[in-house]
Amino acid sequence: MASLSKCIGMMDEGIERTIRLIPQLPAVEAKLSRLMLMVSGSLNEELEFELKPYKLNHSEFLTLMFLYSRPDSSSTPGELCEFTKQGATNMTRIGNTLVKRGLVTRGGSDDDRRRVVIRITATGKRLVLKIVPPLFPRLDAMFQGFSDTDKKNLSRLLRKLAHNLDQATGDSDTHIGTMKATK
Amino acid sequence: MASLSKCIGMMDEGIERTIRLIPQLPAVEAKLSRLMLMVSGSLNEELEFELKPYKLNHSEFLTLMFLYSRPDSSSTPGELCEFTKQGATNMTRIGNTLVKRGLVTRGGSDDDRRRVVIRITATGKRLVLKIVPPLFPRLDAMFQGFSDTDKKNLSRLLRKLAHNLDQATGDSDTHIGTMKATK
DNA sequence: ACCTTTTACTTCACCGATGAAATATAAGCT
DNA sequence: AGCTTATATTTCATCGGTGAAGTAAAAGGT
């Protein structure tokens, strides 16, 4: 199994070779976006692996974490979709799964009968408290060797990139539908 | 539809609130990894959108690009899996789809009959040359406002993160199976 | 030379996600 | 008050991905 660094090396070579065939290719930007996708793919992989013993996937975990962090421990499918970049269809499915396990409850909304209120249960909160602390050492290890300045820079650059991604999406919101993110 | 920046704001707030409940949470690192996942989710989304008119998904496109960049325009499913972090099962399916469209051919290997050689066709190359140039303006726009130093720093930090991710994976390769990445 | 182990890829059944359509409800307009 | 449009969520059929098992071939050991 190739390491991520090896894959990145292959990507670098591939883009160098592609420039000879397509000279206008913005190589630096192409490499950066590929890097982003590759690194976050591995991050996602790690997280899915850590969650496996609890029989949760990334989307389910993210949903639980979002509910856990809310002042009243609840949200709606619509809001959850906005935050997690999931489609409504999938949020229904995720909700069903979490309800079935007793990790959340699904109820009506007093002020809008179209809305569903999803609330994390005591069981769900206990699961969160069980899952999260063991993730800390890996999280620390991921950023081993990063100075505070490095972390600040990474944060600034990623937020700037996010801003630019919003810009384009805003410009041409003809393709805004249910935009999805890899979790 | 919430903007990425709004989602990031919600994530920031969520992590700030979660710290009150779990004080040991490494907030900076948690935010950084969340940011990585969120930004690359949007990147992926953009790319999938750009590819849709050509009836290709990200994995298919990546496979074509890899083959296009090779000196002899070919590879094997095994090597493609290593580079794209796909499973062998899925690479068979991707290969089938691309063969069916006449974008690649599938043949035997002279030196190892277990191996399959996948080669991009002239049709496939034409498709690549049709798809790629229109991606450049968006690629440039994504990094609008990034200085050369910014780009170098982002590259350095992402590669360092990749190195750290390899470290942990190497340490405990008990979970190395077919590790997959979000494309 | 033969047997065992490993490797490369494919098939099968299933999982997590999607877009389109349907249903119920609220908002807006006249 | 009634009709139209928009919103929130669910259902349905399908897509892209997975792990386990199977098949064929190569490598390694004796």
Side-chain angles (χ1 to χ4, degrees), chain A residues 17 40 45 69 175 180, chain B residues 17 40 45 49 69 175 180:
Chain A
R17 276 201 288 276
S40 73
E45 201 70 40
S69 74
H175 75 271
K180 322 275 179 37
Chain B
R17 275 200 289 273
S40 72
E45 201 71 38
F49 175 78
S69 75
H175 76 269
K180 314 272 180 44

Side-chain angles (χ1 to χ4, degrees), chain A residues 49-68:
Chain A
F49 175 78
E50 299 280 356
L51 295 173
K52 210 181 277 291
Y54 307 99
K55 298 185 190 350
L56 278 182
N57 65 32
H58 190 170
S59 303
E60 291 158 348
F61 175 68
L62 193 55
T63 301
L64 277 184
M65 283 308 300
F66 185 74
L67 296 172
Y68 183 82

Side-chain angles (χ1 to χ4, degrees), chain A residues 4-5 12 17 29 34 40 45 49 58 69 85 138 142 145 151 159-160 164 166 168 175 180, chain B residues 2 4-5 12 17 29 34 40 45 49 58 69 138 142 145 151 159-160 164 166 168 175 180:
Chain A
L4 181 57
S5 296
D12 282 328
R17 276 201 288 276
E29 287 80 9
R34 264 299 128 202
S40 73
E45 201 70 40
F49 175 78
H58 190 170
S69 74
K85 299 287 186 191
R138 277 299 296 127
M142 266 176 217
K151 292 173 191 174
R159 288 169 198 270
K160 195 186 183 85
N164 287 354
D166 277 335
H175 75 271
K180 322 275 179 37
Chain B
L4 182 57
S5 296
D12 283 328
R17 275 200 289 273
E29 287 79 8
R34 267 295 132 204
S40 72
E45 201 71 38
F49 175 78
H58 191 169
S69 75
R138 278 299 295 129
M142 265 176 217
K151 292 174 193 174
R159 289 170 197 267
K160 194 186 184 83
N164 286 355
D166 278 336
H175 76 269
K180 314 272 180 44

Side-chain angles (χ1 to χ4, degrees), chain A residues 63-91:
Chain A
T63 301
L64 277 184
M65 283 308 300
F66 185 74
L67 296 172
Y68 183 82
S69 74
R70 304 288 279 174
D72 63 349
S73 306
S74 76
S75 186
T76 63
E79 190 179 43
L80 280 158
C81 285
E82 282 195 81
F83 174 66
T84 63
K85 299 287 186 191
Q86 292 283 1
T89 305
N90 201 36
M91 193 50 65

Side-chain angles (χ1 to χ4, degrees), chain A residues 8-123:
Chain A
I8 287 172
M10 291 168 87
M11 179 271 288
D12 282 328
E13 288 170 19
I15 289 181
E16 291 304 327
R17 276 201 288 276
T18 306
I19 290 173
R20 303 202 207 102
L21 300 162
I22 311 181
Q24 286 77 39
L25 181 74
V28 171
E29 287 80 9
K31 286 183 187 179
L32 282 173
S33 53
R34 264 299 128 202
L35 258 178
M36 283 284 319
L37 294 166
M38 290 166 101
V39 169
S40 73
S42 273
L43 261 175
N44 189 64
E45 201 70 40
E46 283 245 355
L47 185 49
E48 290 276 0
F49 175 78
E50 299 280 356
L51 295 173
K52 210 181 277 291
Y54 307 99
K55 298 185 190 350
L56 278 182
N57 65 32
H58 190 170
S59 303
E60 291 158 348
F61 175 68
L62 193 55
T63 301
L64 277 184
M65 283 308 300
F66 185 74
L67 296 172
Y68 183 82
S69 74
R70 304 288 279 174
D72 63 349
S73 306
S74 76
S75 186
T76 63
E79 190 179 43
L80 280 158
C81 285
E82 282 195 81
F83 174 66
T84 63
K85 299 287 186 191
Q86 292 283 1
T89 305
N90 201 36
M91 193 50 65
T92 297
R93 194 187 55 77
I94 290 170
N96 288 345
T97 302
L98 296 177
V99 163
K100 187 172 294 180
R101 290 180 60 179
L103 302 175
V104 307
T105 55
R106 203 202 233 101
S109 171
D110 289 334
D111 49 34
D112 190 331
R113 290 214 292 275
R114 294 171 298 182
R115 283 203 170 139
V116 163
V117 173
I118 296 187
R119 190 177 307 266
I120 189 168
T121 60
T123 306

Side-chain angles (χ1 to χ4, degrees), chain B residues 114-133:
Chain B
R114 292 173 297 179
R115 283 200 168 139
V116 164
V117 173
I118 296 187
R119 191 177 305 266
I120 190 169
T121 60
T123 305
K125 286 179 179 176
R126 283 199 295 277
L127 184 57
V128 163
L129 283 174
K130 191 177 173 188
I131 294 176
V132 168

Side-chain angles (χ1 to χ4, degrees), chain A residues 150-179:
Chain A
D150 283 339
K151 292 173 191 174
K152 280 193 172 67
N153 273 334
L154 184 55
S155 182
R156 177 177 65 83
L157 295 171
L158 291 174
R159 288 169 198 270
K160 195 186 183 85
L161 190 43
H163 175 74
N164 287 354
L165 286 164
D166 277 335
Q167 236 38 32
T169 303
D171 285 354
S172 53
D173 63 358
T174 50
H175 75 271
I176 292 183
T178 309
M179 283 186 88

